[in-house]
């Protein structure tokens, strides 16, 4: 396999430096498997996809469910993003869908994943994110597609912080923006 | 001068500052205004039009006259001395109405944040504190914002008691309780300046301004808060208003409550001997506080025939003469007040005669109180003129907004506390607020000022009404009253009242001018925040970007993308580099990063049907494994985008879009799919960033590809034009498409963006491949007459205009745009059509955008224009310059000579076909 | 900054949305059967009321779904949102 390079690879050192204060953790989690799934949630195919995933596709807007190491995040009324570890395969999902109407598209390289963790994570994101990030309304189990600064992102709140999924071509911009927004918290 | 003791200043510390070239001292807790008054400085500025001396008129953000410029530590224009907190090393100067912008960039950091709350309380006076505490005790998420550095509002300037303790201590205790709650945010030094739709409010927090040169560089100096509140409580207080009389702008004339604030809060005596001119009771409290602090109050001139009994008696006991039914006719003095003239209020409306003269260096004025309704009005709330209070009060709002305390005309401390605690639900109790009184009658109104900052007098307002103006909005524009940077906080209603007086109508009949954000001036730096420089707009880069940078590429902005423009070698200019890159592509082998092309995955049983409806040509007939070029148009028939359509499977396509249009095209496809044809079983997924794409171009490209993809049969027969193959290139899974945007034998190689750099490096390691940029790409495609959407088209161009009738299906029953090609307009023979142009001088490069005319000398205007140059380049292949142009009836003009006006010159050009290079297409198979 | 209630994602800032103009202007079933004037009316003519207006929006930075909204063009109040294909609800 040829050498791969993740979109924010050049930021590893600066992320590590910014994470030293303990106020904030910044890191790229590269090469996660991401699969875009489209299917009618009422259809037998949706049920079969759920069985293949080990968890039913969540039908409540803005929710994400977990099955082992895999997260299934609502993206639209007939659209989900499956996020798994690097070795997770899309093929069983394609097989579960079969030739019924729907789609299973590997979009692993479409977005990279940035971890924004630590006690000040919410404050850092609030500098550029207009949605309410308060844990009472946006805690683990939630997901939102929204804007962070001027980039579209998928936000997944974690027990400690957030996963920020950003399109690869915006990753450098967003990494620079995050480091800038972190200035007061890590200096 | 400074009192011996008292005030909320830290007398243990001394701050040095300089104003208008002279050195002074003050204390932490001072504003620049209080420190100037403490040092006996009376004149602070001169007025904008008349050059009259102006002093300190108020004690807060309503200040109309004490305009200053900060010179150090960083220049900042147009601040009011009353809102600048004093710090060590401050250097400032007074302004004649206009400031000076800094000439160097502001080194400070400014940022912004978003916040959400159940209740936003604006104002931390008694009503606001009570409201915030009531809300916080329910567990609600509360934000309390106040423009002052400490809570208390009006309590800071008085000696009043709350709950048996000094009001300021009560305020500090409430604020401390609030600050200790996890869901409460208390924001001092924060001005809520805009109240917009859906309870979106903007505030600016001044975080380090008060630290001057000691401010830490990494902390944002100012922060804009973008607050979304379920409910807003406006506890914005009230502004005291002035009265129009002769010389009411002289330094030494001051709002009564401001003088009270200077005495109590700052421990400053704003004068030694005062006269008070009032229409109500509140100025008596001010007078008593001044007396207690050692100011001699010579007289209280009360316009009411029967002043409030309790207050008048207390004043007289304190040795103050109370002149009931009297008015101040003039403040007089040379550069500042030295005497005050007063006389009986004439019942008849005749000019008042100032028969009494008092020596005084301070004239306190109280014309009543105006609730601060700015934010309420901005929110869409209506205002109502209250006859009893003689002022505008909040009416109805369509947003979740409550107004409490003085901001809705509740002017007692007890009333404000109750109002805040209960959310302003109760009707305001009737109050004896005082006598409505605005204007002291005179024969000469030239120094009766209504707007001190704009130098607008009663005479100016009378000139406006005399000219026939009847609307407050018209008078505002005619006189400029209320348009200065204080936005008429003290002058607005006074101007209206003077108009009403002149027109003989009730004040309430005239209404109010519209209140607009911002409530107080906000610096552009704060509004820009971090959205400047490199973070102003996202810079999108491909997976190969680092290589391009390392190899000296210059970049072109295409939408938000940075694309390599050309790769100059040492000593090369752009022209030399591009000619070299073009030659490599036409004669050898060259590669370009094409990753920025938009890519959309289209899957579903009706995918072909959707594409047939959206593209002008037929896509359903495309064989699996094949590729077709396609054009999308709007219903009006004009081109919106073009690209290729790849059929991956019977029900599965991948379409590409132009770089700048990727998001637009996806939105466009979703719009038709979701809103017009929801029954079509198709799913669309953006995969633009999933793939890195490299265009490998030139007669040598097949050999290079063969070397890297040993498993791929590359011959023209095995891998024909407009087909694709899955294979491995340099060990990476790849989709290779035989597509050409240059006319040469060419491939587009797609790998995941993770592997894009490795692919590119493998190509470069072959040693044969020249990297090329967008400029070369443009030249190569223009030589072939391939248009660029957005450069050679502008939303008024059909495929037929581009010479691409072949891409418009005659067989399909319908597609988006089809009906418009039957309109007379799209069939006109004189439509602008894409043609080639050859300047007669083969070295002459026409500027893009140059117009084209038929005549060899220009007639008198209007000159008939035939069209314009859309693309223009030097061609290595043609050995000359050439251009593409949109020309009226262009295809019928091939062979004609036209002229391109460039400067004073008419450059002769010959019209040609838009395909200038290899029109037979002989080169595409290598 | 309006707060627009996406029927799926709930209230979001206006900046996440793309405006789509007047709602309920259907693409003609058979454009070829229309006169030039009828076609021009479809292409170019839209209502521009002061007050309630049914219009299309797309939550382009969120779930990418198109929907309809009844907005008061004078006050910016959104009286209703509803899904594509549903009839315009009765609003003030």
């Amino acid at each position: 396999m040829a050498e791969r390079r993740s979109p924010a690879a050049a930021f590893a050192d600066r992320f590590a430096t910014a994470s030293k204060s303990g106020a904030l953790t910044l890191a790229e989690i590269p090469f996660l498997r991401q699969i875009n799934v489209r299917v009618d949630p009422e259809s037998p195919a949706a049920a079969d996809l759920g069985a293949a995933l080990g968890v039913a596709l969540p039908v409540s807007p803005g929710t994400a469910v977990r099955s082992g190491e895999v997260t299934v995040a609502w993206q639209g009324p007939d659209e989900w993003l499956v996020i798994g570890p690097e070795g997770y395969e899309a093929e069983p999902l394609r097989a579960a869908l079969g030739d019924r109407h729907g789609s299973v598209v590997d979009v692993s390289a479409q977005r990279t994943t940035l971890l924004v963790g630590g006690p000040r994570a919410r404050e850092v994101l609030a500098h550029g994110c207009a949605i309410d990030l308060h844990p009472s309304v946006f805690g683990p189990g939630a997901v939102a597609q929204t804007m962070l600064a001027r980039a579209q992102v998928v936000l997944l709140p974690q027990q400690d912080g957030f996963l920020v999924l950003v399109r690869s071509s915006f990753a450098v911009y967003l990494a620079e923006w995050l480091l800038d927004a972190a200035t007061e918290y890590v200096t | 001068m400074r009192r011996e003791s008292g005030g909320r200043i830290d007398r243990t510390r001394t701050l040095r500052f300089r104003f208008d070239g002279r050195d002074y001292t003050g204390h932490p807790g001072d504003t620049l205004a209080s420190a100037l008054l403490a040092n006996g400085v009376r004149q602070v500025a001169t007025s904008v039009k008349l050059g009259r001396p102006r002093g300190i008129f108020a004690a807060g953000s309503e200040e109309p006259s004490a305009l200053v410029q900060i010179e150090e530590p960083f220049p900042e224009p147009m601040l009011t001395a009353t809102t600048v907190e004093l710090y060590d090393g401050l250097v400032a100067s007074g302004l004649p109405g206009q400031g000076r912008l800094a000439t160097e960039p502001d080194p400070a950091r400014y940022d912004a944040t978003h916040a959400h709350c159940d209740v936003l309380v604006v104002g931390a006076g008694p009503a606001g504190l009570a409201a915030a505490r009531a809300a916080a005790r329910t567990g609600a998420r509360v934000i309390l914002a106040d423009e002052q550095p400490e809570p208390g509002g009006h309590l800071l300037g008085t000696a009043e008691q709350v709950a048996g303790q000094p009001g300021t201590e009560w305020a500090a205790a409430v604020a401390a309780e609030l600050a200790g709650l996890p869901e409460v945010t208390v924001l001092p030094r924060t001005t809520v300046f805009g109240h917009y739709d859906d309870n979106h409010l903007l505030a600016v927090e001044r975080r380090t301004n008060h630290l001057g040169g000691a401010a830490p560089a990494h902390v944002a100096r100012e922060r804009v808060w973008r607050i979304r509140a379920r409910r807003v409580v406006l506890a914005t207080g009230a502004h005291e208003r002035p009265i129009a009389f002769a010389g009411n702008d002289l330094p030494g004339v001051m709002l009564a409550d401001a003088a009270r604030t200077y005495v109590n809060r700052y421990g400053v005596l704003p004068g030694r001997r005062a006269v008070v001119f009032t229409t109500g009771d509140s100025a008596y409290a001010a007078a008593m506080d001044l007396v207690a602090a050692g100011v001699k109050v010579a007289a209280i001139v009360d316009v009411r025939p029967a002043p409030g009994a309790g207050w008048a008696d207390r004043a007289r006991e304190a040795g103050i003469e109370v002149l009931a039914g009297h008015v101040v006719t003039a403040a007089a003095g040379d550069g500042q007040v030295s005497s005050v003239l007063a006389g009986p209020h004439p019942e008849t409306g005749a000019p008042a005669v100032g028969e009494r003269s008092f020596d005084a260096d301070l004239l306190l004025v109280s014309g009543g109180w105006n609730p601060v309704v700015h934010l309420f009005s901005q929110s869409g709330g209506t205002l109502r003129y209250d006859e009893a209070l003689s002022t505008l009060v909040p009416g109805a709002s369509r947003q979740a907004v409550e107004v409490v305390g003085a901001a809705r005309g509740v002017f007692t401390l007890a009333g404000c506390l109750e109002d805040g605690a209960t959310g302003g639900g109760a009707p305001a109790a009737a109050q004896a607020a005082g006598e409505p009184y605005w204007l002291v009658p005179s024969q000469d109104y030239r120094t009766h000022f209504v707007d001190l900052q704009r130098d607008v007098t009663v005479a100016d307002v009378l000139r406006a009404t005399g000219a026939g103006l009847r609307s407050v909005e018209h008078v505002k524009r005619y006189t400029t009253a209320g348009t200065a940077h204080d936005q008429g906080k003290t002058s607005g209603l006074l101007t209206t009242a003077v108009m009403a007086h002149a027109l003989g109508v009730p004040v309430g009949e005239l209404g109010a001018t519209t209140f607009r954000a911002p409530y107080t001036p906000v610096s552009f730096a704060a509004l820009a925040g971090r959205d400047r420089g490199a973070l102003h707009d996202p810079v999108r880069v491909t997976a190969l970007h680092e290589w391009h940078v390392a190899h000296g590429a210059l970049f072109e902005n295409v939408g938000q993308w940075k694309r390599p423009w050309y790769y100059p070698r040492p000593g090369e200019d752009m022209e030399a580099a591009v000619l070299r890159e073009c030659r490599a592509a036409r004669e050898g082998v060259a590669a370009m990063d094409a990753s920025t092309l938009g890519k959309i995955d289209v899957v579903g049983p009706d995918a072909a049907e959707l594409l047939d409806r959206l593209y002008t040509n037929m896509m359903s007939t495309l064989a699996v494994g094949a590729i077709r070029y396609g054009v999308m148009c709007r219903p009006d028939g004009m081109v919106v985008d073009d690209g290729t359509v790849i059929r991956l499977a019977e029900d599965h396509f991948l379409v590409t879009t132009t770089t700048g249009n990727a998001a637009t095209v996806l939105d466009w496809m979703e719009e038709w799919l979701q809103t017009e044809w929801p029954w079509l079983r198709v799913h669309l997924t953006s995969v633009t960033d999933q793939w890195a794409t490299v265009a490998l171009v030139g007669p040598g490209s097949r050999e290079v590809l063969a070397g890297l993809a040993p498993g791929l049969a590359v011959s023209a027969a095995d891998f024909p034009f407009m087909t694709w193959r899955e294979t491995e290139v340099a060990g990476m899974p790849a989709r290779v498409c035989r597509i050409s945007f240059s006319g040469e034998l060419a491939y587009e190689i797609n790998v995941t963006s993770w592997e894009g750099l490795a692919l590119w490096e493998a190509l470069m390691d072959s040693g044969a491949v020249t990297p090329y940029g967008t400029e070369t790409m443009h030249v190569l495609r223009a030589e072939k007459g391939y248009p660029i959407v957005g450069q050679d088209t502008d939303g008024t161009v059909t495929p037929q205009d581009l010479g691409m009738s072949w891409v418009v299906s005659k067989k399909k029953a319908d597609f988006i745009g089809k009906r418009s090609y039957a309109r007379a307009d799209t069939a006109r023979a004189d439509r602008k059509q894409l043609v080639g142009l050859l300047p007669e001088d083969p070295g002459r490069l026409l500027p893009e955008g140059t117009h084209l005319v038929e005549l060899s000398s220009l007639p008198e205007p209007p000159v008939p224009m035939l069209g314009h140059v859309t693309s223009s380049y030097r061609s290595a292949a043609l050995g000359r310059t050439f251009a593409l142009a949109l020309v009226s009836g262009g295809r019928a003009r091939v062979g004609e000579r036209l002229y391109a006006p460039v400067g004073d010159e008419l450059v002769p050009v010959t019209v040609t076909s838009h395909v200038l290079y290899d029109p037979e297409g002989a080169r595409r198979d290598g | 900054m309006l707060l627009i209630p996406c029927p799926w994602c709930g209230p979001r800032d206006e900046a996440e949305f793309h405006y789509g103009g007047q709602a309920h202007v259907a693409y003609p079933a058979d454009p070829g059967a229309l006169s030039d004037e009828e076609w021009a009316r479809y292409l170019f003519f839209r209502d521009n009321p002061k007050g309630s207006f049914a219009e299309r929006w797309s939550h382009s930075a969120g779930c990418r779904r198109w929907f309809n909204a009844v907005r008061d063009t004078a006050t910016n109040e959104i009286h209703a949102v509803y899904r594509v294909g549903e009839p315009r609800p009765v609003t003030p």
Side-chain angles (χ1 to χ4, degrees):
Chain A
M1 187 183 282
E3 190 189 339
R4 298 180 302 179
R5 188 161 169 84
S6 62
F11 288 83
D13 289 348
R14 291 170 66 195
F15 281 170
T17 304
S19 302
K20 275 182 190 161
S21 72
L24 196 66
T25 309
L26 291 178
E28 183 185 24
I29 307 173
F31 308 129
L32 292 182
R33 179 69 65 192
Q34 296 176 42
I35 302 159
N36 192 273
V37 173
R38 301 287 302 269
V39 71
D40 177 354
E42 306 286 324
S43 66
D48 292 347
L49 280 161
L53 287 162
V55 61
L57 296 168
V59 292
S60 289
T63 60
V65 297
R66 291 192 64 114
S67 166
E69 290 182 297
V70 177
T71 300
V72 184
W74 185 94
Q75 300 280 280
D78 62 356
E79 183 169 2
W80 293 266
L81 187 64
V82 177
I83 305 154
E86 200 177 332
Y88 188 75
E89 288 301 331
E91 212 40 59
L93 299 184
R94 286 203 188 92
L97 178 64
D99 56 6
R100 292 172 291 188
H101 175 44
S103 79
V104 173
V105 182
D106 187 340
V107 290
S108 302
Q110 170 82 351
R111 300 185 188 90
T112 194
T113 305
L114 303 177
L115 169 67
V116 182
R120 312 304 289 269
R122 182 151 63 103
E123 280 167 276
V124 169
L125 294 186
H127 285 296
C129 185
I131 68 168
D132 190 354
L133 302 172
H134 193 273
S136 64
V137 291
F138 194 64
V143 61
Q145 298 137 284
T146 186
M147 303 292 292
L148 179 57
R150 291 172 192 263
Q152 286 184 25
V153 293
V154 178
L155 286 183
L156 283 160
Q158 308 290 293
Q159 285 303 334
D160 170 30
F162 300 83
L163 295 183
V164 181
L165 277 61
V166 60
R167 289 175 67 154
S168 300
S169 60
F170 284 93
V172 168
Y173 159 77
L174 198 67
E176 291 286 2
W177 184 89
L178 281 168
L179 286 164
D180 179 78
T183 302
E184 281 193 20
Y185 310 105
V186 302
T187 302
Chain B
M1 74 185 214
R2 191 73 74 178
R3 294 175 63 185
E4 295 285 317
S5 63
R8 305 187 61 73
I9 52 169
D10 178 3
R11 291 171 191 261
T12 66
R13 288 174 56 208
T14 297
L15 304 175
R16 289 158 300 131
F17 72 103
R18 173 174 287 204
F19 184 76
D20 278 347
R22 297 187 60 177
D23 292 320
Y24 302 101
T25 61
H27 299 292
D30 264 326
T31 61
L32 177 58
S34 69
L36 287 169
L37 287 170
N39 284 280
V41 177
R42 307 296 299 268
Q43 179 179 343
V44 171
T46 50
S47 71
V48 65
K49 281 196 298 192
L50 303 171
R52 290 170 67 91
R54 291 285 159 77
I56 292 160
F57 191 73
S61 56
E62 74 273 31
E63 172 65 41
S65 64
L67 274 183
V68 299
Q69 167 114 8
I70 305 238
E71 311 286 1
E72 291 177 26
F74 182 79
E76 197 174 356
M78 297 293 279
L79 300 172
T80 49
T82 54
T83 58
V84 174
E85 287 183 59
L86 195 68
Y87 48 81
D88 200 54
L90 174 69
V91 178
S93 49
L95 286 177
Q98 287 182 352
R100 303 175 306 278
L101 289 173
T103 50
E104 69 257 48
D106 187 343
R109 183 180 167 86
Y110 298 80
D111 71 7
T113 193
H114 297 268
H116 297 258
C117 59
D118 296 314
V119 185
L120 168 66
V121 180
V122 185
L129 285 168
R133 183 167 65 178
R137 284 179 173 173
T138 69
R141 293 164 67 189
V142 176
I143 297 176
L144 172 62
D146 186 273
E147 64 179 356
Q148 293 291 333
E150 56 179 332
H154 193 245
L155 294 171
L156 296 169
T158 70
E160 291 170 287
Q161 302 262 318
V162 177
Q165 59 184 328
T168 51
E169 286 179 19
W170 173 83
V174 175
E177 177 191 333
L178 291 169
L181 295 171
E183 299 300 346
V184 177
T185 305
V186 178
L187 296 172
R189 297 190 172 94
T190 303
T191 304
V192 179
F193 64 81
H195 192 157
Y196 303 92
D197 291 310
D198 299 314
N199 269 350
H200 192 237
L201 294 97
L202 295 192
V204 62
E205 178 190 11
R206 292 168 295 278
R207 303 171 75 226
T208 68
N209 307 52
H210 61 288
L211 302 176
H218 71 282
V219 176
R221 183 171 192 250
E222 296 182 5
R223 170 169 293 170
V224 170
W225 288 74
R226 308 179 192 284
I227 302 167
R228 194 68 83 167
R230 286 182 199 282
R231 192 161 71 86
V232 174
V233 177
L234 297 174
T236 44
H239 290 148
E240 200 166 28
R241 67 181 179 231
I243 303 168
F245 57 86
N248 64 345
D249 66 327
L250 271 181
V253 178
M254 185 179 280
L255 293 170
D257 202 67
R260 189 184 185 193
T261 296
Y262 286 114
V263 166
N264 290 316
R265 177 173 175 187
Y266 299 106
V268 166
L269 300 184
R272 292 165 189 278
R273 189 179 164 84
V275 171
V276 179
F277 180 19
T278 187
T279 65
D281 289 344
S282 68
Y284 286 79
M288 301 306 291
D289 282 1
L290 261 66
V291 169
V295 177
K296 168 70 184 169
V297 176
I300 294 177
V301 181
D302 192 329
V303 73
R304 297 174 293 180
W311 280 112
D313 293 344
R314 283 178 60 192
R316 289 193 183 98
E317 282 163 22
I320 304 173
E321 182 179 359
V322 176
L323 296 171
H326 276 59
V327 294
V328 165
T329 59
D334 181 13
Q336 57 174 297
V337 174
S338 58
S339 65
V340 173
L341 299 176
H345 169 56
E347 294 297 331
T348 57
V353 179
E355 50 193 42
R356 295 276 306 273
S357 175
F358 297 91
D359 286 342
D361 61 358
L362 182 63
L363 172 55
L364 271 50
V365 180
S366 177
W369 293 84
N370 291 334
V372 177
V373 293
H374 301 61
L375 294 175
F376 181 79
S377 173
Q378 289 174 26
S379 79
T382 58
L383 301 178
R384 176 177 63 79
Y385 188 80
D386 186 298
E387 292 292 343
L389 297 174
S390 66
T391 190
L392 293 166
V393 296
S397 176
R398 56 186 167 75
Q399 299 209 44
V401 179
E402 291 147 40
V403 186
V404 297
R408 72 174 189 118
V410 175
F411 292 132
T412 64
L413 177 54
C416 285
L417 291 166
E418 167 74 14
D419 216 31
T422 58
Q431 299 178 51
E435 184 97 354
Y437 194 82
W438 313 88
L439 170 65
V440 177
S442 171
Q443 284 175 316
D444 180 356
Y445 285 123
R446 286 177 302 173
T447 64
H448 285 51
F449 285 87
V450 291
D451 186 335
L452 270 64
Q453 198 170 139
R454 280 286 189 227
D455 269 344
V456 178
T457 65
V458 171
D460 296 320
V461 177
L462 297 181
R463 194 175 305 118
T465 53
L469 302 183
R470 294 295 180 268
S471 149
V472 286
E473 296 285 1
H474 292 162
V475 170
K476 176 178 176 176
R477 283 152 184 77
Y478 186 86
T479 62
T480 74
T483 63
H485 98 327
D486 66 348
Q487 288 287 289
K489 290 185 180 63
T490 54
S491 64
L493 195 57
L494 178 57
T495 306
T496 304
V498 171
M499 270 185 74
H501 168 82
L503 298 172
V505 300
V507 179
E509 204 168 279
L510 290 177
T513 55
T514 306
F515 291 90
R516 292 195 178 87
Y519 171 66
T520 52
V522 182
S523 67
F524 282 116
L527 292 174
R530 309 306 302 152
D531 295 333
R532 52 198 297 191
L535 297 176
H536 172 253
D537 199 40
V539 172
R540 296 180 71 182
V541 296
T542 74
L544 319 185
H545 188 74
E546 290 169 22
W547 190 96
H548 303 319
V549 173
H551 289 77
L554 276 78
F555 290 89
E556 181 182 27
N557 295 325
V558 183
Q560 292 172 317
W561 291 93
K562 289 277 178 211
R563 300 195 67 182
W565 194 15
Y566 58 98
Y567 300 79
R569 288 179 179 168
E572 274 185 342
D573 61 6
M574 176 170 172
E575 187 181 323
V578 171
L579 288 173
R580 172 180 53 75
E581 291 175 12
C582 285
R583 244 179 250 114
R586 293 247 181 259
E587 297 167 14
V589 56
M592 183 187 71
D593 181 357
S595 307
T596 60
L597 290 177
K599 305 167 200 80
I600 300 166
D601 190 273
V602 183
V603 65
D606 298 320
E609 169 73 17
L610 175 70
L611 298 181
D612 272 352
R613 289 168 184 246
L614 290 173
Y615 284 96
T616 58
N617 47 343
M618 190 84 87
M619 293 301 174
S620 51
T621 55
L622 187 64
V624 173
I627 302 171
R628 191 165 284 166
Y629 172 78
V631 172
M632 280 189 198
C633 293
R634 296 192 308 246
D636 67 1
M638 304 304 153
V639 173
V640 284
D641 204 60
D642 68 347
T644 54
V645 175
I646 298 168
R647 193 159 201 169
L648 298 171
E650 199 55 37
D651 65 347
H652 193 182
F653 296 80
L654 184 79
V655 307
T656 67
T657 75
T658 55
T659 295
N661 267 348
T664 311
V665 171
L666 180 60
D667 274 358
W668 175 251
M669 294 174 74
E670 287 282 9
E671 179 177 351
W672 287 98
L673 181 59
Q674 293 180 31
T675 69
E676 293 292 345
W677 311 313
W679 60 86
L680 290 181
R681 294 161 300 162
V682 187
H683 291 309
L684 305 171
T685 307
S686 169
V687 289
T688 299
D689 293 36
Q690 169 75 17
W691 302 104
T693 305
V694 175
L696 186 65
V697 177
S701 58
R702 180 176 287 129
E703 193 184 332
V704 171
L705 179 62
L708 289 171
L712 182 66
V714 295
S715 73
D718 288 329
F719 190 1
F721 186 56
M722 296 307 258
T723 61
W724 60 270
R725 298 285 182 269
E726 300 275 7
T727 185
E728 277 198 359
V729 178
M732 287 164 259
R735 179 182 298 132
V736 183
C737 301
R738 250 202 81 190
I739 305 173
S740 177
F741 196 44
S742 58
E744 299 299 327
L745 173 68
Y747 304 86
E748 282 185 6
I749 309 169
N750 298 277
V751 296
T752 69
S753 52
W754 298 336
E755 294 163 314
L757 184 60
L759 169 69
W760 181 263
E761 286 177 337
L763 289 168
M764 292 301 143
D765 287 348
S766 74
V769 181
T770 301
Y772 72 94
T774 51
E775 188 67 14
T776 290
M777 180 266 284
H778 276 246
V779 177
L780 299 174
R781 64 86 201 176
E783 290 169 345
K784 288 291 293 177
Y786 299 150
I788 298 262
V789 173
Q791 173 163 344
D792 301 297
T793 73
D794 59 4
T796 68
V797 179
T798 65
Q800 296 89 338
D801 296 338
L802 295 170
M804 297 199 297
S805 299
W806 54 269
V807 86
V808 181
S809 169
K810 308 278 189 296
K811 294 180 194 153
K812 290 194 284 185
D814 192 27
F815 58 83
I816 300 302
K818 180 180 169 80
R819 173 62 184 83
S820 290
Y821 303 133
R823 293 176 65 221
D825 183 63
T826 53
R828 277 187 295 115
D830 64 346
R831 286 190 65 82
K832 288 181 181 172
Q833 297 166 335
L834 188 70
V835 294
L837 296 180
L838 295 175
E840 292 189 3
D841 171 358
R844 186 68 187 250
L845 187 69
L846 296 172
E848 287 172 356
T850 304
H851 283 274
L852 296 164
V853 299
E854 217 160 10
L855 307 163
S856 58
S857 68
L858 291 182
E860 285 299 304
V863 180
M865 295 293 173
L866 293 179
H868 67 280
V869 174
T870 58
S871 297
S872 178
Y873 307 101
R874 288 180 201 282
S875 166
L878 303 174
R880 53 160 305 133
T881 60
F882 74 106
L884 297 178
L886 287 168
V887 175
S888 177
R891 282 198 286 278
R893 292 180 187 271
V894 169
E896 277 184 27
R897 171 192 276 182
L898 299 178
Y899 298 88
V902 179
D904 293 332
E905 207 183 338
L906 284 173
V907 179
V909 300
T910 304
V911 179
T912 71
S913 158
H914 60 293
V915 186
L916 287 145
Y917 182 75
D918 185 28
E920 309 79 25
R923 302 186 60 81
R924 74 170 196 215
D925 284 333
Chain C
M1 183 71 72
L2 298 186
L3 194 64
I4 298 177
C6 169
W8 298 104
C9 303
R12 295 289 183 92
D13 273 17
E14 177 188 350
E16 294 192 3
F17 296 83
H18 177 85
Y19 184 63
Q22 183 173 353
H24 308 298
V25 181
Y27 184 74
D30 183 4
L34 301 184
S35 68
D36 274 5
E37 190 188 325
E38 288 165 334
W39 180 243
R41 195 153 284 283
Y42 165 72
L43 285 184
F44 303 123
F45 285 69
R46 295 294 183 270
D47 297 338
N48 186 23
K50 180 181 180 184
S52 286
F53 188 41
E55 54 197 21
R56 300 183 309 155
W57 290 83
S58 164
H59 190 192
S60 49
C63 65
R64 299 196 297 131
R65 291 320 183 267
W66 282 87
F67 60 94
N68 294 328
V70 177
R71 182 178 61 99
D72 187 312
T73 58
T75 65
N76 270 334
E77 284 172 290
I78 293 176
H79 293 304
V81 293
Y82 53 105
R83 293 176 191 172
V84 168
E86 293 178 355
R88 174 176 172 164
V90 177
T91 55

